[in-house]
Amino acid sequence: MGQRMKVLLITPPMTQLNSPYAATPMLTAFLRSRGIDAVQEDLSLELALRLFSKKGIRAMAGAIRRSRKPSVRFFQLRVSESEEAVDLTIRFLQGRDPSLAHRFARRGSLPEGPRFEVLRHSDLDRQMEPQDRAKYYASLFIDDLADVIHDAVDPRFELSRYGGKLAASAPSFDPIRESLEHSSTLIDRMIDRMTRELCRKHRPALVALTAPFPGNVYGAFRIARAIKKGFPRTRIVLGGGYVNTELRDLSDPVVFDYVDYITLDDGESALLSVIDSIKRKGGRGILRQTFVREQGHVVFKSGRRTPAILHRQLPVPSFEGLDLSKYISVCEMPNPMHRLWSDGCWNKLMLAHGCYWRKCGFCDTCLDYIGRYDPAPASVLVDRIEAMIRETGRRGFHFVDEAASPALLRSLARELLRRKTAIAWWCNIRFEKAFTPELASLLARAGCVAVTGGLEAAVDRLLKLVNKGITVAQAAHAARAFSEAGILVHAYLMYGLPTQTAQETVDALEIVRRLFDAGYIQSAEWLRFALTVHSPLARDPERYGIRLLPVSRATFARNEIPWEENKGIDHSRFAFGLRKAVYNFMHGAGLERDARSWFDFDVPRPSKKIWRI
């Protein structure tokens, strides 16, 4: 194979469509800094562009199964209109022709399927500026098309994930394998075709697939299958966030019918060891943090203990090979904070490795990506920011840290202001008391436009139980400081925690209502608590008042653990009411309603002693 080899790094379908996922730009730059010929491709974006095109619409129409879903019936009556509209819509959402806003801002300029029903119950769209309104309508049109694919072409497809249910905490690889070998949907065939095209284009010796989420695991294995069938001499390595959290107990050798290596933790050192092993005749290199199959069995190669590569020593992420003008910005919700995830092509950058707090009881604190905190100096970070601006021409940044520390953000803001480096940025934080009005004002002057953070249970007893390290009052003061500085605030919320009562759930909703009503937060999302195997709660369940339930041995993915408590309540009953309430709050509606009114069953009235503004 020679000393010079090409590595192709791929982001599989489906991940976000508005920005490149952070993994391949980081690893491409790292490999190139070590003299390795590395190239990158985003098949998630490419699949979306092929589906949402005139040719894709025709293919969808020909692949539709019989369905009585409203999305499908509407589409079949409007196929030709959708064909005519889709290319212009994608061009507009890519920012290639802003003048189309004048066309799309008018109702009736696009086929209006079931997704447009939301406009009957709200006048928020009429309050939007024409450019935003046009983007909102165009996004609803794309959502309608995505619904058609899901409802009548391939039920595994969603706009930001593909086959996610197959991979989510899947103890066995069998369902994924069954789907890989016996499914041939339109999307399967598209992925196979794109994979063959890339392999012919680049002729890589090694393909590296990143699987950060359950929603692109099936896509990763689909790509691997196509490579094995068409290019059997090409080696394949799989890594990413999903692998790091869910495949640490992997034992099914069948997985290696599709990939040759599976790496854990940070990709840099493990990937270098894989490349070195391939270069050596007979593959006798020393692998690090890597699963392989030997004599029919899965073997984990821990390798030599080598110091971790310091965050400050990593090169600037490289976007070469990714056409940033092709990414699609969508506005699926008018809420200005909530739309940041899907609207705008953000340069993604990590300020520090790991989490500076790393004590939350529900978090994967024992894993390297959380437990090893390693920040880069502000001067290094701003060097990277300026280099990324020069390469991309874009000044929007999303800092993708687990949680950015107040001290690091302060030093970063001062360095940005000192150099007069003008950017717009947002990041994840902890709502702690260190975020004072003075610090929030400094961050705003340095370009901070939004923050996200975990308020979790929003009840002091539960925050203390899970060692969150904040109180509701501290979180409220921090959120207020950000909002008054003009920084948008999103709160991650959690329900169904161990020992959580119905009273505490209602109290949490009342606190969230007050935060919205006061203008301290602008966006929020409720998620059901999940007990994960790498968390302190799983390591010491008795301390948290729960019992772990027996499960059959996992041979593939292992992450979420079933559990019970002595006097548990049915938390699932609260899900719809909590989400409906927050959805309304984000649109400025229902803020005067009693917290109990969101539920269709009897719940306690909010406590009189809960935190008040």
Side-chain angles (χ1 to χ4, degrees), residues 95-126:
R96 292 171 179 260
D97 196 343
S99 63
L100 286 169
H102 300 288
R103 175 188 178 94
F104 292 149
R106 298 196 313 267
R107 290 293 301 274
S109 60
L110 292 166
E112 296 189 1
R115 287 282 187 156
F116 283 79
E117 288 293 315
V118 69
L119 302 180
R120 292 187 178 184
H121 310 292
S122 170
D123 63 351
L124 286 175
D125 60 311
R126 291 189 289 274

Side-chain angles (χ1 to χ4, degrees), residues 354-593:
C355 176
Y356 71 100
W357 175 250
R358 56 192 184 279
K359 296 178 183 178
C360 294
F362 53 81
C363 197
D364 296 334
T365 56
C366 69
L367 296 183
D368 181 76
Y369 84 97
I370 294 287
R372 179 171 60 85
Y373 182 62
D374 175 26
S379 58
V380 171
L381 294 173
V382 179
D383 286 344
R384 292 175 182 173
I385 288 169
E386 291 177 343
M388 292 171 75
I389 292 172
R390 288 192 296 271
E391 180 181 5
T392 67
R394 299 174 187 266
R395 291 180 175 267
F397 283 80
H398 180 195
F399 301 138
V400 293
D401 296 59
E402 297 299 320
S405 79
L408 182 56
L409 289 179
R410 183 186 294 275
S411 61
L412 173 66
R414 287 173 172 168
E415 184 69 8
L416 287 168
L417 292 170
R418 186 186 71 81
R419 297 197 199 182
K420 298 181 180 179
T421 303
I423 62 172
W425 56 272
W426 57 297
C427 66
N428 194 53
I429 52 94
R430 297 180 64 254
F431 289 117
E432 60 170 270
K433 59 185 179 181
F435 286 111
T436 61
E438 177 271 331
L439 178 53
S441 177
L442 173 67
L443 301 183
R445 294 198 305 275
C448 181
V449 297
V451 294
T452 63
L455 185 54
E456 320 306 356
V459 175
D460 282 339
R461 183 187 75 82
L462 293 171
L463 289 172
K464 183 177 180 180
L465 177 71
V466 299
N467 201 22
K468 184 66 182 179
I470 62 171
T471 65
V472 171
Q474 289 171 347
H477 291 316
R480 178 180 180 178
F482 285 121
S483 291
E484 291 184 346
I487 297 171
L488 298 170
V489 180
H490 172 88
Y492 294 109
L493 302 164
M494 194 180 294
Y495 70 98
L497 274 82
T499 73
Q500 184 170 5
T501 65
Q503 182 69 68
E504 288 172 324
T505 303
V506 175
D507 287 352
L509 179 57
E510 173 62 14
I511 287 170
V512 171
R513 183 195 69 80
R514 294 178 185 182
L515 291 171
F516 270 103
D517 194 38
Y520 293 178
I521 63 176
Q522 290 72 46
S523 174
E525 181 181 15
W526 289 101
L527 298 172
R528 175 71 182 266
F529 165 75
L531 178 62
T532 59
V533 66
H534 307 296
S535 66
L537 273 84
R539 300 297 175 91
D540 189 9
E542 292 183 2
R543 177 184 173 190
Y544 299 95
I546 61 174
R547 295 187 303 278
L548 306 186
L549 299 177
V551 293
S552 57
R553 180 173 174 268
T555 58
F556 183 59
R558 180 171 179 257
N559 190 32
E560 189 173 339
I561 305 174
W563 57 278
E564 65 178 11
E565 52 186 321
N566 289 331
K567 297 181 180 180
I569 62 173
D570 184 3
H571 296 290
S572 63
R573 298 183 69 194
F574 292 90
F576 180 77
L578 291 172
R579 291 169 183 162
K580 182 179 180 181
V582 162
Y583 179 85
N584 278 270
F585 296 164
M586 286 194 291
H587 292 87
L591 291 169
E592 74 291 343
R593 288 176 56 172

